[in-house]
Amino acid sequence: GESVGLHLPTLSVQEGDNSIINCAYSNSASDYFIWYKQESGKGPQFIIDIRSNMDKRQGQRVTVLLNKTVKHLSLQIAATQPGDSAVYFCAENLRGGADGLTFGKGTHLIIQP
Amino acid sequence: GAVVSQHPSWVICKSGTSVKIECRSLDFQATTMFWYRQFPKQSLMLMATSNEGSKATYEQGVEKDKFLINHASLTLSTLTVTSAHPEDSSFYICRARQGAGNYGYTFGSGTRLTVV
């Protein structure tokens, strides 16, 4: 079936470096994408979102890039900090879907001192 | 911003007993509540979707008689795990949406259920 998937289950980066987390989606009907951060034992927290009519959106230290041609989504975190350690999920919303959110498998971001 | 309060944050229960998990939207009306289950190192799996005042819609493979969902008001939804067994041990998370077509999604903080 159609699903959202992540290329890397674990990503280890040095503190201060930039992190890039990737996500591939397969449903061309998706029109809205969200990145969530989930710390251990907690619910997912909204990080940033992007609609399909955009290619890039920036937040505080985070940037989401959307490439609809290859159905690829990425989350860039600048100057990674220890508090960024978490599992990151991408989610897609199907256009017109009652719920729409389909979650990827998640990438565990590990920050090394 | 929108806040969803989920209780309890963790619970341990004996096999065969029932456990109720509550999710309350504190400063908005949650027309739709989604319930997820998450096993360790895995993604969120949608269990059911409930709209206020209506019966919940369950995903394939989720037993509606075992996972009872009530969404009697716009600010409260509950998930009751009936006759819990060790395999029901998981992290349960609710997610609220305010209004149809609204892309505002807010998650609860999750409930760690351990059945012994």
Side-chain angles (χ1 to χ4, degrees), chain B residues 6 9 11 15 21-22 24 26 32 37 52 61 72 85-86 88 99 106-107 109:
Chain B
Q6 182 171 349
S9 56
V11 58
S15 185
I21 301 170
E22 291 189 351
R24 294 179 183 272
L26 298 186
T32 306
R37 181 165 52 182
E52 183 266 336
H85 289 96
D88 298 325
T106 302
F107 280 92
S109 53

Side-chain angles (χ1 to χ4, degrees), chain B:
Chain B
V3 176
V4 175
S5 176
Q6 182 171 349
H7 293 281
S9 56
W10 61 271
V11 58
I12 301 173
C13 71
K14 291 184 177 180
S15 185
T17 61
S18 296
V19 173
K20 179 183 284 188
I21 301 170
E22 291 189 351
C23 276
R24 294 179 183 272
S25 56
L26 298 186
D27 49 6
F28 69 100
Q29 293 182 328
T31 55
T32 306
M33 193 72 78
F34 308 93
W35 287 93
Y36 295 84
R37 181 165 52 182
Q38 185 180 32
F39 293 106
K41 299 189 184 301
Q42 293 189 23
S43 189
L44 286 75
M45 294 174 53
L46 180 65
M47 300 175 65
T49 303
S50 72
N51 293 300
E52 183 266 336
S54 303
K55 288 185 177 180
T57 301
Y58 290 80
E59 295 298 301
Q60 191 173 9
V62 178
E63 300 175 59
K64 62 179 181 180
D65 294 330
K66 181 171 183 62
F67 299 99
L68 303 178
I69 291 174
N70 184 284
H71 193 168
S73 77
L74 287 171
T75 59
L76 174 64
S77 179
T78 62
L79 166 67
T80 301
V81 183
T82 63
S83 187
H85 289 96
E87 57 265 30
D88 298 325
S89 299
S90 186
F91 193 58
Y92 292 87
I93 312 171
C94 62
R95 175 171 70 88
R97 185 176 68 187
Q98 182 182 8
N102 189 309
Y103 286 136
Y105 300 116
T106 302
F107 280 92
S109 53
T111 297
R112 171 70 60 193
L113 171 63
T114 302
V115 185
V116 298

Side-chain angles (χ1 to χ4, degrees), chain A residues 72-95:
Chain A
H72 185 267
L73 192 69
S74 69
L75 175 70
Q76 300 178 3
I77 304 174
T80 311
Q81 303 169 358
D84 294 329
S85 292
V87 177
Y88 290 81
F89 293 98
C90 65
E92 61 177 325
N93 186 88
L94 299 176
R95 186 178 298 120

